[in-house]
Amino acid sequence: MLRVTNIVPEAMMATAKTKQKILKTFLDLLSSHSYDDVSLPLVADTAGVKLSDMRAAFGSKRSLVAAFLEKVDAEVLDERDEDMGDQPARDRLFDVLMNRIDALAAHKEAVRSLRSAAKKDTALALDLNQLETRSQKWMLIAAGIDLSGPKAGLVSQGLAIAFNRVVDVWLDEEDEGMPRTMSKLDKELDNGTSFMKRINRLEGLFQGIGSLLRTAADRRGRSKKTASASDDEVAEPV
C-alpha cells in the first residue's frame, strides 16, 4: 500500500508537467504561426511528447485555448489586491482587468494570432466568446461583483465584448505604459456603468410587473373562491 501511495502523486505530477509543457509549446507556436497551421501533431512533436500523451492531456485545440484562458484567470485571481476592497466597484474592476492585460502580455503574439483566426472562423469565434464570457464572470467575482441569475450571464457577456475592444487597442499599442489601453478600458467601463443602470431599471420594472401580475392572480383566485362559496349556499336545499 505504501508503494502505491508513493507512486500515484509522482504520476499526477508528471501529468501536470506534461500538460504545462504542451500548453507552453502551443502558445509558443501560436506566437509564430497562424492558428490553422498549429496542428495537434505539430504541438506534440515540438513538445517532444507522444500523440497518446497529447490525447490524454488535450483532446482538441479548443481545449488548449480553454486551458490558456483558465491559466490567465488563475493568474489574475492570485494577484487580486485585497486592499481595494473599500474602493468603488468600477475601480476594483478596472484594476482586475488591467491585471488581466498584464497576464496576457507574455503571450501577446499568441493572442493576436488567435484573434486573427477567430475573425475568419465563426466556430472558433463562438467558442472564444463562450470561454471569454466564462472568464469575465470570474473577473467580476475577483472585483467583488458577484451576480446571479440572468443578470450574471448578461453582464458577463457584455463585459467580454467590452474587454475584446480593449484588447484590440492593446494589441496595437507599443507604449509600455499603455495609456491608450487604459483610456479605452475607462471608456468601456463608463459605458458598462450606464448599461448596468439600464439593466437595473429594467429589472425593477419587471419585478414591478411581476408583483402586479401576482397580485391580480391572487385577487382572481379569491374572487373565484368567494363565487364558489356563494353558489354552494344557493344550492343548499331548504
Side-chain angles (χ1 to χ4, degrees):
M1 292 297 293
L2 288 175
R3 290 180 181 176
V4 173
T5 303
N6 289 333
I7 290 173
V8 172
E10 291 178 2
M12 291 176 63
M13 286 177 62
T15 300
K17 288 179 180 178
T18 299
K19 285 185 175 181
Q20 291 174 6
K21 184 178 182 181
I22 292 173
L23 180 57
K24 181 181 183 304
T25 300
F26 171 68
L27 293 171
D28 288 345
L29 287 170
L30 201 56
S31 296
S32 55
H33 297 71
S34 70
Y35 179 79
D36 288 340
D37 288 342
V38 181
S39 65
L40 294 179
L42 176 61
V43 175
D45 185 58
T46 307
V49 300
K50 296 185 295 185
L51 272 177
S52 58
D53 292 334
M54 179 78 201
R55 171 66 181 85
F58 299 101
S60 66
K61 287 202 292 184
R62 184 190 188 280
S63 63
L64 279 162
V65 174
F68 170 47
L69 293 180
E70 287 171 6
K71 176 177 177 291
V72 172
D73 292 348
E75 289 180 19
V76 177
L77 294 172
D78 286 343
E79 291 296 321
R80 185 175 62 157
D81 187 355
E82 300 289 350
D83 292 336
M84 291 199 67
D86 59 346
Q87 299 298 312
R90 183 193 180 284
D91 293 350
R92 297 197 305 270
L93 186 56
F94 181 92
D95 184 68
V96 166
L97 294 179
M98 284 307 300
N99 284 343
R100 189 170 186 83
I101 291 289
D102 291 340
L104 289 170
H107 309 288
K108 191 169 187 174
E109 293 310 312
V111 173
R112 191 191 309 277
S113 179
L114 191 58
R115 289 173 64 81
S116 176
K119 292 177 180 178
K120 298 176 287 186
D121 186 336
T122 303
L124 176 60
L126 291 173
D127 283 344
L128 274 176
N129 177 70
Q130 183 182 40
L131 293 170
E132 289 170 353
T133 298
R134 184 176 65 185
S135 288
Q136 291 304 329
K137 179 179 180 180
W138 280 104
M139 297 303 97
L140 287 165
I141 292 174
I145 307 171
D146 194 359
L147 304 174
S148 61
K151 183 191 288 188
L154 190 60
V155 173
S156 298
Q157 174 65 82
L159 188 56
I161 293 172
F163 188 71
N164 277 335
R165 297 192 187 110
V166 175
V167 170
D168 283 337
V169 174
W170 169 67
L171 286 173
D172 291 334
E173 185 165 32
E174 297 181 359
D175 191 329
E176 293 184 359
M178 297 185 290
R180 290 176 53 225
T181 299
M182 289 191 289
S183 176
K184 180 62 174 176
L185 180 55
D186 256 329
K187 181 179 179 181
E188 292 296 334
L189 290 181
D190 283 343
N191 292 339
T193 300
S194 299
F195 177 64
M196 280 298 298
K197 288 179 179 178
R198 290 196 294 272
I199 289 179
N200 289 335
R201 283 198 296 267
L202 285 173
E203 185 179 42
L205 176 62
F206 289 142
Q207 288 176 347
I209 292 174
S211 179
L212 287 173
L213 291 175
R214 286 192 295 273
T215 300
D218 289 343
R219 287 175 178 171
R220 285 197 299 272
R222 286 196 295 270
S223 296
K224 287 181 180 179
K225 288 181 181 179
T226 301
S228 177
S230 298
D231 290 343
D232 288 343
E233 290 177 2
V234 172
E236 186 72 27
V238 178

